[in-house]
Structures are given as structure tokens and as C-alpha cells.
Amino acid sequence: MTNQTFDQFPENMWVTAVPVATVWTSPQSPRDVDEPGVRPHADIDQWIRDLSHEESLALCEENRIQSQVLYGEPVIMIDKKETFAKVIIPSQPSKKDERGYPGWIPCAQLMQVNKTNWMSNQFAVVTQKKAFLEDKQGENVMKLSYMTMLPIASSRQTRIEVKTPHGKGYLSKEAVHMFPSEKGIEQGSGQDIVRAGEPFVQLAYFWGGMSSFGYDCSGLAYATHKANGYRIARDASDQASSGEKVDLEELLPGDLVFFAYEEGKGKLHHVGIYYGNGKMLHAPQTGKGVEIVALKGTIYERELCAARRYWRRREGSNDE
């Protein structure tokens, strides 16, 4: 259940102050071509658009990027080196650190907020692929990703007033879902997880991607589960070691399917969402877009090695 708890954060806590902050492996990881992604007012659209295929591929092959965090997402700062902060991301479970996912974010992309003032009984989560944060006059201020969560200050007729690192902002009611912070987002079915992923078909793959500007394979799995009230690990290897083990002959839509080198016997390298009828929905690799593909007769059929289920059947419903 994606409920908003802040017990692990200090009274003055750090939150993401750009639409998408990239979590780097080290302060030395960004290259000159990555400047739009690390500047104080990050422009992720420009960054992704301007990267060549080889430059995008190097983000993975040279182990430059670890993850990403969305606007307003709290992090714990544990160290600082010049212009970069080492952070822990509690909302992204990882075996790398029991407190959450670790990595480095430019200090200029973080802002400190008072926890008591930030907390709210209700949160708004962006449910459209993208949504604009507006000012009081209705002018667009910032383009936000799907699954961005912000505390609600008040609800108006057509807009929600939300708290942001930069003060009050406004979101269209059509662009968000409101949920109580104590209960979190209502848990969905396996079919709901599939439906959450369908709008992103053809979205370009982006290594380390955790936003609707570009997902990687485990980022897409994470986001579709988050949209349905389930908090799962950030990385595919961790996703494969939790949840309910599922027999490969008993797959249902919404289950996660995992793939390993050496025809399923080597290192795990990929995750997809089982779509039903022998198909999966997944973000394949750099240079390709999110797609729905049949497994039969493909390398994925040969490399399929495990499946896990995080969603729960609802009483009296037919989730199959």
C-alpha cells in the first residue's frame, strides 16, 4: 500500500525540487552531454531528446545512473561532496541499503521543507501521463510525471491546491487521484496493473528511468504497481526475490516475469509484466519503446526463469 509515512525523516527534510531528479552512481558520473539533466532547473525532455543512441547506451554500460525520483519525493541526505548530495530514497526499497535506494543527486535539485508543514491528510497523485503544475492564475509552471505525489492544501471546484517545494501550486482535478495519506492508494488487481502500463506503449526506454519521460524495465514495473497501491523494490533482481512465487504455468495478468542469460540459468537481466494470452508488456532496451509482445518463439521464451505476484485478489472479484 503506497501510504505516505514520514517517521524516518527529520523535522527539516529534503525533497526533490525538479520534475525528475536523476540518481547518479557518483558525483563524477554525469558527462557534459548530461548537463540538461543535472542543471538546477532540469529539462529532462531536452536531455533525452538530445542524447545519441550511443550516449544513452553508455548510461547503462558505464554504470552512470542508478535511479530517479519525482517532484516532491522525500529523500534522506547522508553525505555531501561539493555540488552533489548522497541520498537514500525510502520509497524505493533496495538490497543496496535497508533504508532505501542510495545514490547521488545534484544539491541544486533538492530543497528543504518542514515536515510538519509538509504533511497533509490527503495527497494528490498524477494519473495522466504528464500533467502541468499551474500557478494561481492558471499559467503552466512545470510539467510533472505520472505518479508524482504532492500533499493537498485544499480542493477547489476544478483544481487541487497542493504543497510543493516552491510553495503552493495547482493541479487539474482531471489529472490526479486524491487519496488519504494514512490509507494510501487503494490496491488494484493484476488487470489494473496491466491497464496502468498500456498508455506507455511506444514510450522510449531510458536506463534508470522512473518517470513517464522514460522508463527502464524495472521502473515500469515499479510505477504500475505504485499506481495500484503496491510498493515493490526498485531493481528487477530485488523484485524477483520478494512477492508471491508463481508457477510459470499459472501466470495471470499483472504478474512480473523475469529473464536471465544462458537460457534462464545465468544472471537475471530483465523484467516484464505478464499481459495475458502468452504476452507481456515491457520496456525492452535502449533504442526501443515500451511494447506488448508474444513470448512464444522469442528469446524471451528461452530466457524466462521466474515469476512473482505482488497484487492481491479482491474478495468476490474475478481477477483472472
Side-chain angles (χ1 to χ4, degrees), residues 225 230-233 236-246 254-256 258 307-312:
H225 280 73
Y230 301 102
R231 179 170 292 160
I232 66 173
S237 58
D238 291 340
Q239 292 170 358
S241 62
S242 298
E244 176 190 344
K245 188 175 181 180
V246 178
D255 293 345
L256 293 183
F258 299 92
R308 296 281 175 167
R309 180 174 300 154
Y310 287 91
W311 58 272
R312 298 170 189 160

Side-chain angles (χ1 to χ4, degrees), residues 231-286:
R231 179 170 292 160
I232 66 173
R234 191 268 175 263
D235 287 341
S237 58
D238 291 340
Q239 292 170 358
S241 62
S242 298
E244 176 190 344
K245 188 175 181 180
V246 178
D247 193 306
L248 296 178
E249 282 73 46
E250 302 293 331
L251 287 172
L252 292 174
D255 293 345
L256 293 183
V257 283
F258 299 92
F259 305 87
Y261 296 118
E262 299 173 29
E263 297 193 347
K265 296 172 184 174
K267 181 182 177 182
L268 191 146
H269 66 87
H270 190 59
V271 59
I273 302 163
Y274 187 67
Y275 191 79
N277 298 317
K279 299 178 182 179
M280 76 165 167
L281 187 156
H282 73 141
Q285 62 191 51
T286 300

Side-chain angles (χ1 to χ4, degrees), residues 105-260:
I105 294 176
C107 295
Q109 296 185 353
L110 299 172
M111 287 184 71
Q112 213 165 22
V113 299
N114 178 272
K115 181 169 71 171
T116 301
N117 294 337
W118 183 260
M119 288 170 66
S120 176
N121 291 328
Q122 278 195 310
F123 272 70
V125 56
V126 174
T127 51
Q128 293 181 349
K129 287 192 284 186
K130 309 266 178 53
F132 275 102
L133 181 72
E134 302 172 352
D135 63 17
K136 195 170 185 178
Q137 289 71 41
E139 296 295 320
N140 292 340
V141 174
M142 185 183 296
K143 190 193 295 184
L144 300 182
S145 166
Y146 177 69
M147 283 296 108
T148 298
M149 291 184 178
L150 294 168
I152 295 174
S154 65
S155 179
R156 310 295 175 87
Q157 190 171 0
T158 59
R159 297 198 300 172
I160 305 294
E161 184 182 22
V162 292
K163 302 175 186 180
T164 84
H166 300 96
K168 297 289 176 62
Y170 299 83
L171 288 165
S172 165
K173 278 190 173 179
E174 293 180 352
V176 303
H177 168 69
M178 294 182 287
F179 66 91
S181 53
E182 280 192 9
K183 293 185 179 179
I185 298 172
E186 182 181 353
Q187 291 184 335
S189 67
Q191 286 285 4
D192 291 329
I193 290 170
V194 167
R195 280 191 283 268
E198 287 176 327
F200 300 106
V201 169
Q202 296 187 340
L203 175 69
Y205 176 99
F206 189 71
W207 173 257
M210 290 286 278
S211 82
S212 55
F213 293 89
Y215 288 111
D216 65 11
C217 65
S218 54
L220 181 64
Y222 178 95
T224 53
H225 280 73
K226 179 180 178 180
N228 285 283
Y230 301 102
R231 179 170 292 160
I232 66 173
R234 191 268 175 263
D235 287 341
S237 58
D238 291 340
Q239 292 170 358
S241 62
S242 298
E244 176 190 344
K245 188 175 181 180
V246 178
D247 193 306
L248 296 178
E249 282 73 46
E250 302 293 331
L251 287 172
L252 292 174
D255 293 345
L256 293 183
V257 283
F258 299 92
F259 305 87

